[in-house]
Amino acid sequence: MMYPYMTLNDNTEITHSEMKPDGRVKVYIETPVYGGFHDATCWLPEYTWEFHGYSETEMSYFKQLIRDNAHLMMEFSQEGGSSYAR
């Protein structure tokens, strides 16, 4: 299951999964664009990334944003998401 975490001003959605049995959490970023979406996936706590359509500048921003919020997403992943996102 994916839980909403944050929506940015450009309608980019950031969601995270529950914590997997191996302790990993999937973070998914999706931005609507004409004809589809740009998307990125980050696995915490390793910070391994896959992305499609985003520029290096955009990815630099997202990587910092996830690093700054990873501790919260890891915590919320064990509690069924953030109470603020409900």
Side-chain angles (χ1 to χ4, degrees):
M1 172 164 220
M2 298 298 285
Y3 299 102
Y5 181 73
M6 181 184 298
T7 302
L8 303 179
N9 288 340
D10 66 353
N11 291 322
T12 296
E13 295 283 338
I14 301 174
T15 60
H16 67 83
S17 70
E18 75 281 358
M19 185 171 284
K20 305 297 183 186
D22 64 1
R24 296 182 346 145
V25 174
K26 178 181 179 179
V27 177
Y28 184 71
I29 303 168
E30 182 178 82
T31 305
V33 296
Y34 181 78
F37 294 91
H38 292 171
D39 65 90
T41 301
C42 177
W43 285 94
L44 300 175
E46 300 94 351
Y47 295 97
T48 55
W49 286 89
E50 299 171 16
F51 58 95
H52 306 95
Y54 291 118
S55 69
E56 289 298 322
T57 301
E58 290 167 319
M59 285 308 302
S60 179
Y61 170 78
F62 291 136
K63 287 177 180 179
Q64 187 62 51
L65 180 69
I66 298 307
R67 284 203 180 271
D68 291 346
N69 287 271
H71 66 288
L72 294 172
M73 288 184 270
M74 294 293 288
E75 179 183 332
F76 297 154
S77 72
Q78 298 175 66
E79 301 172 359
S82 166
S83 61
Y84 298 108
R86 295 185 190 155

